[in-house]
């Protein structure tokens, strides 16, 4: 598995995934419910680092053994849940001015948008869409999802770029809600 993968994922199984942290002697530290979002931060071999929202509403990090306790929807060929990234469950698609068709996601609440260097770019209004063809999240801010375009309230699309980057990031809201019914960044899971 690539060590630098950082992905916004969804538990698309009908089962609760129990999180055992190998850095705490395989202690149970949380659960990921069906249709709940979580982040893969990276990994080495069968060991993956994930972020999740625990039962107390705290954004946590854990190192898991993906061989003995495979993530929901795990794909043995790639070592991570390829069919569980957000790109498998978009809200829809939109063809942009650059001629590329992007997957779209709705923002349920107003959230900040950041340039690729982490500086603020602006905001996206609740009810508007963001567009991307990447499942990537930020290296330093895993709660931020890589995006290429943002929709304004009047329906116009704008490319998110600047500071030498052709993309930006939007806060997904996962630090305060990760369930399908409450998370700010949502597709169709």
């Amino acid at each position: 598995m690539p060590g630098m993968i950082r992905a916004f994922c969804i538990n698309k199984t009908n089962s609760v995934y129990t999180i055992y942290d190998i850095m705490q002697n395989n202690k149970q530290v949380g659960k990921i419910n069906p249709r709940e979002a979580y982040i893969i931060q990276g990994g080495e071999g069968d060991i993956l680092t994930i972020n999740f929202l625990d039962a107390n509403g705290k954004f946590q990090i854990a190192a898991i053994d993906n061989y003995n306790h495979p993530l929901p929807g795990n794909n043995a060929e790639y070592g991570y849940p390829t069919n569980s990234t957000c790109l498998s469950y978009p809200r829809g698609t939109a063809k942009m001015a650059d001629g590329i068709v992007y997957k779209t996601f709705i923002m349920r609440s107003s959230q900040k948008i950041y340039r690729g260097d982490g500086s603020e770019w602006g905001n996206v209004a609740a009810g508007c869409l963001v567009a991307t063809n990447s499942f990537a999240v930020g290296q330093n801010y895993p709660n931020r999802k890589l995006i290429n375009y943002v929709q304004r309230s009047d329906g116009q699309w704008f490319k998110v770029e600047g500071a030498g980057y052709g993309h930006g990031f939007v806060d997904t809201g996962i630090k305060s809600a990760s369930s399908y019914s409450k998370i700010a960044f949502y597709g169709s899971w």
Side-chain angles (χ1 to χ4, degrees):
M1 187 203 86
M4 295 311 291
I5 182 170
R6 289 183 285 283
F8 188 92
C9 296
I10 314 301
N11 177 359
K12 278 299 287 179
T13 69
N14 291 323
S15 302
V16 173
Y17 176 76
T18 303
I19 302 166
Y20 298 99
D21 190 341
I22 63 167
M23 300 306 285
Q24 297 184 44
N25 294 321
N26 287 315
K27 176 183 172 187
Q28 181 180 332
V29 294
K31 295 180 180 185
I32 302 171
N33 293 308
R35 298 175 70 189
E36 187 170 10
Y38 64 97
I39 306 294
I40 296 176
Q41 278 261 11
E44 192 65 43
D46 289 319
I47 306 303
L48 295 178
T49 303
I50 65 169
N51 292 103
F52 63 99
L53 202 62
D54 72 11
N56 297 317
K58 186 175 177 190
F59 196 57
Q60 297 281 6
I61 189 167
I64 63 162
D65 178 345
N66 198 39
Y67 180 78
N68 290 311
H69 301 286
L71 283 166
N74 192 57
N75 182 318
E77 181 180 352
Y78 296 103
Y80 66 95
T82 54
N83 293 327
S84 293
T85 72
C86 62
L87 288 184
S88 297
Y89 310 100
R91 180 75 164 197
T93 60
K95 188 173 184 178
M96 300 301 168
D98 61 10
I100 299 172
V101 175
Y102 290 86
K103 296 184 179 186
T104 61
F105 298 84
I106 193 162
M107 298 304 298
R108 292 180 166 154
S109 61
S110 178
Q111 296 291 330
K112 288 187 183 210
I113 296 177
Y114 302 87
R115 292 178 186 88
D117 69 352
S119 62
E120 285 190 31
W121 184 87
N123 290 293
V124 59
C128 289
L129 301 172
V130 294
T132 185
N133 281 335
S134 171
F135 53 65
V137 296
Q139 180 176 353
N140 296 324
Y141 300 95
N143 58 304
R144 298 179 187 174
K145 173 75 192 68
L146 185 146
I147 60 170
N148 300 93
Y149 286 88
V150 61
Q151 184 185 53
R152 269 192 350 199
S153 299
D154 63 7
Q156 289 187 50
W157 287 97
F158 288 88
K159 179 122 176 95
V160 180
E161 57 189 349
Y165 295 87
H167 65 271
F169 294 89
V170 65
D171 190 333
T172 61
I174 196 169
K175 282 188 166 186
S176 58
S178 57
S179 70
Y180 73 93
S181 62
K182 295 183 179 178
I183 194 163
F185 174 88
Y186 183 70
S188 61
W189 55 87

